[in-house]
Amino acid sequence: MDALLENARRIFGVARLAARQASHDDTQDFALLIRPDGGLHFLMEAPFSLEGASSYVGAGSAWRVSHSREGVRVEGRDGVSEVCLKERRNSSRITPRRAFLPDEPRYRITSPLLTSCTASFGTEEALVESAIRRA
């Protein structure tokens, strides 16, 4: 596990440095697969599962590096162990949680009885007229 974590830190450091030096459009997501013979295999911007790509190449360890507006993420695995390192940027471009969860009502609760009566009579005026006729 120590070697896996140390490699994750190294890859994460390089990915963070590359993200800082490039604009968001220039950074690419990729996978780095290390084969049993020590060879490196890169997969660039292809939709894949890390486990599937690792077994296809026969890699001893596999890494996925992804970039987003929120930061850099490095996932790694080596057969039995997994590690994930994330960077979260505090930026004004990221919408605060309050914008997604505003403290104001977005709906109105009504009584089911009034709703069903209104639906059967059409309008509230018709409901009142019907109540007057019954009395």
Side-chain angles (χ1 to χ4, degrees):
M1 182 68 171
D2 292 335
L4 182 68
L5 186 57
E6 184 58 35
N7 287 336
R9 287 181 182 157
R10 289 178 182 164
I11 293 169
F12 187 71
V14 172
R16 286 179 57 201
L17 182 64
R20 287 184 186 145
Q21 292 178 351
S23 69
H24 178 66
D25 298 333
D26 292 339
T27 56
Q28 295 181 350
D29 297 348
F30 65 92
L32 169 62
L33 308 169
I34 302 174
R35 296 188 307 242
D37 64 356
L40 299 177
H41 190 90
F42 284 90
L43 296 175
M44 304 299 291
E45 288 195 54
F48 56 86
S49 75
L50 198 55
E51 185 176 332
S54 177
S55 66
Y56 178 73
V57 175
S61 56
W63 307 92
R64 180 196 317 261
V65 177
S66 52
H67 300 87
S68 69
R69 293 176 124 183
E70 295 175 352
V72 177
R73 178 182 173 118
V74 174
E75 301 170 64
R77 67 173 17 159
D78 69 349
V80 293
S81 301
E82 294 181 6
V83 67
C84 180
L85 300 176
K86 298 180 195 178
E87 173 190 44
R88 299 225 175 174
R89 295 184 191 135
N90 292 328
S91 173
S92 60
R93 294 183 298 171
I94 299 173
T95 307
R97 178 176 272 170
R98 287 176 300 212
F100 293 115
L101 302 171
D103 190 19
E104 61 185 56
R106 298 277 181 176
Y107 51 87
R108 187 176 84 186
I109 299 175
T110 60
S111 167
L113 181 61
L114 290 178
T115 305
S116 63
C117 291
T118 304
S120 63
F121 287 104
T123 63
E124 289 181 22
E125 291 85 19
L127 180 62
V128 171
E129 288 176 18
S130 173
I132 293 173
R133 278 189 239 141
R134 288 185 192 164

